[in-house]
Amino acid sequence: MPAELDNPCALPDPVSPHLAAQRAGVRIDVNLLAERAAALRGRADTLIVEGAGGFLVPLGDRATGADLARALGLPVVLVVGLRLGCLNHALLTQEAIAARGLVLAGWIANQVEPDMLAPEASLAYLTDRLSAPRLAHWPWSPAAAPAALSFDRLPG
C-alpha cells in the first residue's frame, strides 16, 4: 500500500497531534485524510483507522479527532485505558460520539496501570453502562506478544 494512502500524516514526536504537526511544520488536513481513507476503502475489504490521543484531541487550530471521525463516517471503537478516572472518561466519550451522530461499535479495555485497584469492578461497570459490546480486554502485560492480545468478538 502506498504510504501516501495508509499513513498520509506521519508525525515523529509523541505529543498531541496539533503540537506534533506544529513541531514538524505541517498542517493536519482532515479533508485530505478523509480522501485518502476513501481511496483505501476502494482497495480493501475492511478499513481500520487508528486515532491518536483521544476522540476530542486537537488536530489543529479548530479541528479535532471528532471532526475526523465525522468526516470518515466510520463506526467508532473506544479504547478505555483502565486507570483512575476511566469510568468518567469512557462515559463522556460515549456521549461525545453519540452527540455527533456516530456509532459506537464496541470498546476495548486496556489495563494501563498494573496496580489499579478493583479493575474487575470497573470492567463490570463499563460493561453495564456502555452501549456497545466489549471487544477485548488487554490486561497489564508489558512483555505480551501481539498475538496474545486477542479480541473477544469482532463487530459486524
Side-chain angles (χ1 to χ4, degrees):
M1 195 68 53
E4 64 270 7
L5 288 183
D6 73 358
N7 196 4
C9 191
L11 300 169
D13 294 331
V15 295
S16 177
H18 77 295
L19 296 176
Q22 278 179 348
R23 293 168 62 102
V26 298
R27 183 178 154 273
I28 298 173
D29 184 339
V30 169
N31 293 325
L32 174 68
L33 295 176
E35 288 171 14
R36 300 290 167 84
L40 282 173
R41 282 185 203 170
R43 298 176 135 198
D45 295 331
T46 302
L47 177 65
I48 298 173
V49 178
E50 180 181 8
F55 191 68
L56 292 175
V57 69
L59 301 179
D61 290 340
R62 299 238 181 251
T64 68
D67 297 314
L68 177 58
R70 285 185 70 186
L72 295 172
L74 297 172
V76 176
V77 174
L78 173 62
V79 178
V80 179
L82 293 181
R83 63 177 149 239
L84 187 61
C86 69
L87 304 180
N88 180 62
H89 172 265
L91 295 174
L92 286 172
T93 303
Q94 175 177 251
E95 284 186 12
I97 291 166
R100 286 158 180 81
L102 297 171
V103 173
L104 179 60
W107 62 283
I108 296 170
N110 182 19
Q111 182 104 23
V112 296
E113 287 189 2
D115 299 323
M116 178 188 181
L117 295 178
E120 301 82 13
S122 292
L123 279 172
Y125 185 88
L126 290 170
T127 298
D128 184 55
R129 299 293 174 97
L130 291 175
S131 63
R134 185 180 80 199
L135 304 175
H137 173 205
W138 296 329
W140 173 258
S141 182
L149 302 174
S150 64
F151 287 91
D152 297 338
R153 60 183 165 256
L154 293 174

